[in-house]
Amino acid sequence: MMDKKEITYFEKIEADLEEAYQRLSEDINNQDQNYKELQKYTIEYKNELDKFEVYDYQQTLNMIDKQGLAQVLEREQIKKLIESPYFGRFDFVYNGEEQVDAETFYIGRFGFRDEEGTSLIYDWRAPICNMYYEFELGKAYYEAMGRCFEGELIGKRQIKIENSQIKYVVESSLTIQDEVLQQTLNQHASEKMKTIVTSIQKEQNKIVRNESAYNVIIQGVAGSGKTAVALHRIAYYLYKYRDSLRADRIFILSPNKVFGDYISSVLPELGEQPIRSFTIDDLTESLLPPAVTFTSYEQETRAIIMDPSGELATRAKIKSNYSFVERLNTFLSDLDTKLLKKESISIADTEFTADYLKGRFFQYRKEPVATRLELLADDILQVLKAKRNGEGTYPSKNEIVKRLKKRLLYTTPLDIYRHFIEELGEDLFKYSKKTFEFNDVYPYLYVQLYFKGIKTFELVQHFVLDEMQDYTPIQYAVLSKVFNCKRTIIGDFSQALLPYETISKESFENIFSSIEYVELTTTYRSSYEIAMYAKKFMRTGDIHPIARHGEEPEEMIYKTFDEMIAMIHQMIQNDYKTTAIICKTENDLNRLISSLTVPFHVLDGQTEKFEAGLLVTTIQYAKGLEFDAVLVPFVDEFNYHTSYDQGLLYIATTRAMHQLTMFIDANNKSPLL
């Protein structure tokens, strides 16, 4: 039987929320009316108002605008709170007080105060709410206002409220095996990623509230909630540093457009403004000169998956490890000593020796080459002016720079990069009609950084990168310069899309000045049975599923393509919200969709919106997503036979929450099964 006091408090909160909603609605309507009347007045009497009055009225209108926006946002939060005002409660006794003096705190997605200013609901991000996630019953503490408050947790409850109705109240110590978490995980997948505030685990909470680390690297197994943790970390920062951090100054790098849409609702659900996400192709286009084009990251990845041992994969592989960065750094360092030819130059009847020029040029080696030439030109002008006591005429700075540039061994970043590749002694560079292969773009940008610098995002205050394992050290080396701010980098080394190792913990340590490396090894997405089945495809690390049991994965044997199609049609007749058929390649996808006779959505590089229902996609675009049921077709010796293919199967199988079906060719069984 439900606690009567809990029901009474809930009814009071609901009444207070309804009253606050009505009051805000009236205020908003009044503000809107005042705005319209004042705007009408300024238009009707604009010829009779002096400029100071006009300015004053405009400022008033701006103030009403800002107040109105704040009230609308507050009303939206209260509307959401009416549906589900809080999800937890804890009782805390401060040291030195008796248990009868225990204070009760209710925790929700947003905070709420009554008209007297008394906190009735605490925002999950508030300092005191850390105890709810961090401690079980017993001694506990929280830090706020530069102080540490110690005491004892004597009670903790998880509360489920939906549509303004209490579903249950559970006494809980909030372990990963608890009843509430099980119920949450047993739910069907939705169209968008949801918040996890009701079920944030202790190890996740530590990452969310970590304020000290400048670079957080999160290695998380499939289904560990790493992306959700990163987004809640952003929400926490926006709450904690509201006066200095803005949502439009946070940059999220997503693996593709549909993934950006998939995660787009999380922050608004937490009361924050949506944050735009960008793909690596979007970013790359903004960094390269307008006249230069490139084969997209998506296209190149797709081609490498199709032919993992081909020439393109070979070229990309050589540029994918940290030793490539080291060789390029060595080359550029050596170039500093010989880039400016050892020649003297005569300017305005004054000779500047080769030693003088090279010495000054080398002195400025921490600057891009273009900047060094300008600084050297300044030095030359100073010498000329000193020699002539500031009298007479002198060549312009631009003229001197042009003359100096003619004495460079290489005059463009492209020339430098070409020569570097030549020194490697292999045919590694394919460049025609001002078009780069993607594997060359970031080495080129790195050289451009050296030669003349590149665009930086100085206004960005926090950089988030997902799927870290699919980016290379040279790409990170450029990104570290482009985004000089706090970074949250997440991924899973076991879910690499490319057939060769790219980044590692050691590479991160070499690229970034300091990192805090965190591992998440518990998976919450898949049932125990699915997780243990997928584990056999895991190439590195380990995975620990929670004890949420479900159906055993099914291996369906087919002899012909038509037989497999018939089996697929049978398996998709389920009640799940999302079912995904995940192919290895685009060719397999096209072959499959031509035979399906039921409605479906194709999820590929052109897809911008995530939709529920039946989806047909490839492993490349399924990454980061989750589905109620997953079907993996064409599991045969041709598609899945190498260690690389094993990793692709790990990605595909770990997308499944409740049901996993593998379609296995009886005539060409994969050796990986």
Side-chain angles (χ1 to χ4, degrees):
M1 191 170 178
M2 198 169 296
D3 189 340
K4 289 184 178 180
K5 290 184 178 179
E6 206 68 80
I7 295 174
T8 302
Y9 187 81
F10 169 69
E11 290 173 346
K12 178 185 181 308
I13 289 291
E14 284 285 288
D16 287 345
L17 286 168
E18 289 283 0
E19 184 182 334
Y21 186 86
Q22 294 301 325
R23 185 172 62 252
L24 273 169
S25 295
E26 290 174 8
D27 288 346
I28 290 168
N29 290 334
N30 291 335
Q31 290 272 38
D32 188 52
Q33 187 62 34
N34 291 338
Y35 185 92
K36 289 178 179 177
E37 289 177 0
L38 184 58
Q39 192 177 47
K40 182 181 178 183
Y41 179 84
T42 57
I43 293 172
E44 288 180 353
Y45 296 94
K46 65 179 181 180
N47 295 328
E48 299 176 26
L49 301 172
D50 62 39
K51 63 180 182 181
F52 299 106
E53 289 176 310
V54 172
Y55 177 79
D56 189 47
Y57 285 132
Q58 191 57 55
Q59 292 296 104
T60 304
L61 287 171
N62 291 340
M63 184 183 68
I64 295 173
D65 255 344
K66 289 180 181 179
Q67 289 178 344
L69 178 61
Q71 287 180 321
V72 168
L73 292 173
E74 186 181 356
R75 185 175 65 176
E76 283 301 305
Q77 289 186 2
I78 289 176
K79 183 180 179 181
K80 291 176 180 178
L81 286 177
I82 291 173
E83 298 173 0
S84 181
Y86 47 82
F87 55 83
R89 163 188 163 172
F90 58 98
D91 304 303
F92 183 65
V93 182
Y94 290 91
N95 281 350
E97 297 183 355
E98 303 294 329
Q99 285 203 1
V100 293
D101 299 318
E103 292 188 36
T104 296
F105 302 89
Y106 286 85
I107 177 173
R109 278 187 294 169
F110 320 113
F112 175 67
R113 299 172 183 262
D114 62 18
E115 286 193 272
E116 286 73 40
T118 302
S119 289
L120 302 180
I121 305 171
Y122 286 81
D123 191 298
W124 67 278
R125 296 165 290 189
I128 197 167
C129 294
N130 182 49
M131 294 192 295
Y132 181 79
Y133 300 105
E134 188 72 17
F135 297 102
E136 298 180 11
L137 300 185
K139 291 188 179 298
Y141 67 88
Y142 69 97
E143 295 177 352
M145 300 176 291
R147 295 175 58 193
C148 181
F149 298 87
E150 298 179 331
E152 184 179 0
L153 277 182
I154 62 171
K156 186 159 65 169
R157 295 176 176 179
Q158 292 178 301
I159 305 166
K160 180 75 171 181
I161 302 174
E162 281 184 349
N163 301 319
S164 304
Q165 291 187 332
I166 299 180
K167 299 296 184 181
Y168 55 71
V169 179
V170 179
E171 298 289 343
S172 174
S173 60
L174 202 71
T175 65
I176 62 172
Q177 307 291 345
D178 73 58
E179 178 183 348
V180 177
L181 180 60
Q182 292 282 348
Q183 291 186 22
T184 301
L185 298 176
N186 276 317
Q187 294 176 358
H188 289 185
S190 62
E191 291 187 21
K192 298 288 183 69
M193 179 181 284
K194 298 295 185 183
T195 70
I196 60 170
V197 290
T198 63
S199 58
I200 293 176
Q201 302 302 294
K202 187 175 180 178
E203 69 273 18
Q204 297 171 329
N205 180 60
K206 288 185 181 296
I207 300 170
V208 169
R209 296 176 186 263
N210 186 330
E211 299 175 45
S212 60
Y214 199 79
N215 298 297
V216 174
I217 312 294
I218 306 173
Q219 158 58 36
V221 298
S224 59
K226 52 188 176 289
T227 301
V229 167
L231 292 172
H232 285 67
R233 174 172 164 82
I234 293 301
Y236 175 79
Y237 266 76
L238 287 169
Y239 172 88
K240 184 69 181 289
Y241 302 103
R242 191 164 298 281
D243 293 337
S244 58
L245 180 63
R246 290 169 30 184
D248 62 355
R249 294 190 176 180
I250 297 172
F251 194 110
I252 298 180
L253 197 63
S254 298
N256 50 64
K257 292 179 180 178
V258 72
F259 184 80
D261 178 66
Y262 180 66
I263 66 174
S264 63
S265 63
V266 173
L267 287 167
E269 283 294 311
L270 295 172
E272 303 298 343
Q273 294 296 307
I275 293 173
R276 292 178 301 165
S277 66
F278 303 84
T279 66
I280 189 68
D281 288 331
D282 295 331
L283 175 63
T284 305
E285 188 174 358
S286 74
L287 295 176
L288 282 171
V292 176
T293 58
F294 61 98
T295 304
S296 74
Y297 165 78
E298 288 193 27
Q299 289 174 305
E300 184 161 295
T301 301
R302 193 160 59 239
I304 291 174
I305 293 173
M306 287 282 291
D307 188 8
S309 57
E311 292 183 2
L312 173 61
T314 300
R315 290 193 295 274
K317 180 181 180 180
I318 291 173
K319 302 160 193 170
S320 70
N321 51 56
Y322 188 72
S323 65
F324 181 80
V325 179
E326 291 180 313
R327 293 169 78 175
L328 183 52
N329 278 331
T330 300
F331 174 82
L332 295 176
S333 180
D334 291 343
L335 191 60
D336 278 339
T337 62
K338 57 188 177 185
L339 181 59
L340 188 66
K341 298 175 184 177
K342 197 170 182 179
E343 298 175 2
S344 61
I345 186 172
S346 181
I347 300 176
D349 300 325
T350 302
E351 178 124 352
F352 294 88
T353 66
D355 288 342
Y356 171 83
L357 297 173
K358 288 184 73 71
R360 302 301 290 175
F361 184 79
F362 188 74
Q363 185 178 343
Y364 300 128
R365 63 188 178 281
K366 291 184 178 180
E367 301 291 337
V369 171
T371 305
R372 292 187 231 177
L373 294 180
E374 291 187 0
L375 293 170
L376 181 53
D378 286 334
D379 290 342
I380 290 172
L381 280 171
Q382 285 184 3
V383 171
L384 293 176
K385 289 177 181 179
K387 186 177 179 181
R388 299 185 181 183
N389 294 318
E391 298 177 354
T393 58
Y394 311 93
S396 70
K397 181 177 174 178
N398 285 339
E399 288 174 333
I400 297 174
V401 169
K402 285 180 182 179
R403 292 190 61 184
L404 291 171
K405 192 173 182 179
K406 290 179 180 179
R407 282 164 168 75
L408 292 179
L409 187 63
Y410 309 108
T411 57
T412 68
L414 184 60
D415 290 339
I416 295 175
Y417 184 58
R418 283 184 187 276
H419 188 72
F420 168 69
I421 293 295
E422 287 172 5
E423 283 201 359
L424 293 183
E426 301 184 53
D427 185 20
L428 297 175
F429 187 47
K430 301 293 181 182
Y431 181 79
S432 63
K433 297 181 180 178
K434 295 186 177 181
T435 299
F436 287 100
E437 288 184 342
F438 191 81
N439 62 83
D440 283 309
V441 171
Y442 280 80
Y444 168 77
L445 287 173
Y446 195 78
V447 174
Q448 187 168 299
L449 263 168
Y450 166 82
F451 193 81
K452 60 180 182 180
I454 62 173
K455 175 183 178 181
T456 59
F457 293 80
E458 295 178 359
L459 294 180
V460 174
Q461 295 173 288
H462 202 114
F463 175 64
V464 181
L465 181 147
D466 206 346
E467 303 296 349
M468 67 184 185
Q469 70 281 352
D470 294 329
Y471 300 101
T472 65
I474 191 66
Q475 290 164 3
Y476 281 108
V478 174
L479 293 175
S480 70
K481 304 295 184 184
V482 172
F483 298 100
N484 188 20
C485 58
K486 280 195 170 185
R487 310 175 184 95
T488 302
I489 299 173
I490 57 180
D492 180 10
F493 296 133
S494 293
Q495 294 187 63
L497 273 178
L498 300 172
Y500 40 79
E501 181 180 307
T502 54
I503 197 69
S504 65
K505 180 185 176 184
E506 292 71 29
S507 296
F508 278 126
E509 290 173 342
N510 289 326
I511 294 166
F512 298 110
S513 55
S514 63
I515 67 168
E516 188 160 324
Y517 185 82
V518 185
E519 291 191 65
L520 298 174
T521 60
T522 301
T523 180
Y524 305 98
R525 174 186 298 143
S526 304
S527 67
Y528 180 87
E529 288 75 15
I530 292 174
M532 293 307 293
Y533 182 87
K535 187 176 181 178
K536 66 184 180 182
F537 303 121
M538 197 174 187
R539 290 188 293 172
T540 60
D542 199 3
I543 188 169
H544 304 286
I546 66 165
R548 178 177 69 81
H549 292 280
E551 300 176 21
E552 288 283 351
E554 192 170 359
E555 294 184 348
M556 302 193 74
I557 311 298
Y558 66 91
K559 294 182 179 180
T560 65
F561 174 77
D562 289 342
E563 188 178 356
M564 184 188 73
I565 293 296
M567 291 177 176
I568 288 174
H569 279 109
Q570 180 185 349
M571 293 303 301
I572 59 180
Q573 303 302 315
N574 56 54
D575 296 325
Y576 292 126
K577 289 183 179 178
T578 57
T579 297
I581 305 175
I582 304 178
C583 304
K584 178 184 176 182
T585 66
E586 195 172 26
N587 288 347
D588 284 343
L589 181 146
N590 291 331
R591 187 182 174 198
L592 182 73
I593 61 177
S594 65
S595 300
L596 290 177
T597 59
V598 295
F600 61 89
H601 306 290
V602 174
L603 198 163
D604 58 18
Q606 304 304 312
T607 310
E608 296 188 1
K609 298 288 183 183
F610 183 88
E611 298 182 83
L614 176 63
L615 297 99
V616 186
T617 187
T618 62
I619 293 170
Q620 180 178 356
Y621 297 103
K623 276 189 43 155
L625 307 178
E626 62 183 25
F627 311 93
D628 291 314
V630 167
L631 287 67
V632 184
F634 304 109
V635 183
D636 54 36
E637 187 177 13
F638 175 76
N639 270 325
Y640 301 103
H641 64 280
T642 66
S643 173
Y644 168 57
D645 299 326
Q646 180 181 333
L648 296 180
L649 276 178
Y650 174 72
I651 297 172
T653 54
T654 53
R655 300 308 94 199
M657 296 175 64
H658 308 296
Q659 188 182 85
L660 173 64
T661 308
M662 310 286 282
F663 295 90
I664 299 168
D665 190 334
N667 303 312
N668 298 286
K669 188 176 180 180
S670 168
L672 301 177
L673 296 176

